[in-house]
Amino acid sequence: MKNTFEIPHCETCLPRLNSIFGVLSSEELNRLELHKGCNFHRSGQVLFYEGDYPSGIYCINRGKVKLTRTGEAGREQIVRLAREGDSVGYRALVSGTPYQLTATVIEDASICFIPRQTFNTLMADNPSLTGTIIRQLTQDLAKAEQKQVSLAQKQVRERLAETLLMLREFYGCEDDHRTLRSRLSREDIANYVGTATETVIRLLSEFSKEGLIVLEGKKIRITDQKGLCETARMPE
C-alpha cells in the first residue's frame, strides 16, 4: 500500500458492498459518512485488545487484520483473519461484553471506525442491517466451530495443509496463480494451525520434498493442490 492515505467515501467504497453495511440506503450512508472516522494503520498496530470494552466497530477498507486470543503461558492463537469489507469488533458491541480477541493489523490498512451510537441507531432504523449482522454472527460461529473440530480431530500435518488452502482463498495468488500472496510469518502460520513454529517449518519442508509446494524464501507456491486437499482431508 502507498504511504499516501485517502479517506474512503461510503458511497464509492467497493469493499462496503460485501460488508454488513452493503444494505444501507443513500441517506444512511450519508449519516455514516458524517460520524465515522478513518485512519491509516501500519502493520503491527493494535486496533483493540482482548478484555477492552468496545466503543464502536472497525470496517476494513484496505489491508488485513488478525484476531487472536491469548492461550496458556501467554501463547498467541490466531482465531481468524479479516480482510477488505470485513468488520471487526461488532460481536462485543452487539452483546455489550468486552472484546474476546485482540485485533492486530498484519498488512498496512485503511480502516474506518463507526462509533457505538451511530451503529446502534443504524441498527434500530434498518431491520436489514440487523438481519445481516445476525447472519454474519451465525457464519462466524459456524467457522469457529469448524476450526475447533479441526483442532480436535486433525493431525498437525492435516491442519497445516488446510491452512495453506485457506490462505490461498483468503489472500489469493500472484500472477502465476500458484504463489500465495500471504504475508503471514511462519510464526503466524503456526499460531493459526495451533502448533510450534519449528513444527511448521519442518512440515513445510516435508511438503516441499513431497512436491506439494515449492518454498522460495518466505514465499510458498502450491504445486499440487489436489495432493494438498487430500493431505488436509478436504474436497478439492
Side-chain angles (χ1 to χ4, degrees), residues 10 20-21 24 28-39 53-59 87-90 92-94 99 111-124 129 133:
C10 295
I20 59 175
F21 297 108
L24 298 185
E28 290 166 333
L29 288 174
N30 289 333
R31 192 192 316 168
L32 187 63
E33 188 83 45
L34 286 174
H35 296 285
K36 73 177 184 182
C38 297
N39 287 290
Y53 277 87
S55 56
I57 71 167
Y58 298 83
C59 190
S87 296
V88 294
Y90 66 91
L93 190 65
V94 170
Y99 292 119
I111 299 176
C112 296
F113 177 78
I114 296 92
R116 179 197 295 115
Q117 184 175 354
T118 301
F119 182 70
N120 288 341
T121 300
L122 288 170
M123 282 187 62
L129 176 60
I133 292 169

Side-chain angles (χ1 to χ4, degrees), residues 23 28 121-135:
V23 297
E28 290 166 333
T121 300
L122 288 170
M123 282 187 62
D125 293 346
N126 191 326
S128 295
L129 176 60
T130 303
T132 299
I133 292 169
I134 291 173
R135 285 192 295 274

Side-chain angles (χ1 to χ4, degrees), residues 85-235:
D86 289 340
S87 296
V88 294
Y90 66 91
R91 280 180 287 178
L93 190 65
V94 170
S95 63
T97 58
Y99 292 119
Q100 300 298 306
L101 306 170
T102 295
T104 306
V105 176
I106 55 174
E107 182 180 304
D108 289 357
S110 59
I111 299 176
C112 296
F113 177 78
I114 296 92
R116 179 197 295 115
Q117 184 175 354
T118 301
F119 182 70
N120 288 341
T121 300
L122 288 170
M123 282 187 62
D125 293 346
N126 191 326
S128 295
L129 176 60
T130 303
T132 299
I133 292 169
I134 291 173
R135 285 192 295 274
Q136 188 63 56
L137 286 168
T138 303
Q139 291 172 8
D140 288 347
L141 178 60
K143 290 178 181 177
E145 290 176 343
Q146 169 111 29
K147 196 165 190 296
Q148 287 299 316
V149 170
S150 177
L151 286 170
Q153 297 184 357
K154 289 189 175 184
Q155 301 296 319
V156 176
R157 176 184 169 86
E158 296 168 333
R159 298 203 305 269
L160 177 57
E162 184 177 12
T163 297
L164 293 179
L165 294 167
M166 180 279 296
L167 292 176
R168 178 188 178 105
E169 189 277 330
F170 183 82
Y171 278 98
C173 294
E174 296 181 359
D175 292 340
D176 62 2
H177 304 295
R178 292 187 175 189
T179 302
L180 302 181
R181 286 202 182 102
S182 171
R183 298 187 183 182
L184 288 184
S185 66
R186 298 296 191 257
E187 182 181 5
D188 278 336
I189 294 175
N191 289 339
Y192 190 89
V193 173
T195 189
T197 304
E198 295 78 8
T199 302
V200 163
I201 293 172
R202 175 177 57 80
L203 288 174
L204 287 175
S205 179
E206 289 182 8
F207 287 177
S208 179
K209 291 176 182 176
E210 294 166 16
L212 299 175
I213 63 174
V214 170
L215 300 174
E216 297 177 346
K218 293 184 179 180
K219 292 186 176 182
I220 300 173
R221 185 165 74 248
I222 296 176
T223 51
D224 185 358
Q225 182 169 330
K226 180 179 180 181
L228 210 56
C229 289
E230 291 174 351
T231 301
R233 288 194 284 149
M234 294 174 61

Side-chain angles (χ1 to χ4, degrees), residues 6-18:
E6 296 182 3
I7 296 177
H9 296 287
C10 295
E11 283 276 11
T12 57
C13 175
L14 293 179
R16 175 189 61 81
L17 301 177
N18 296 318

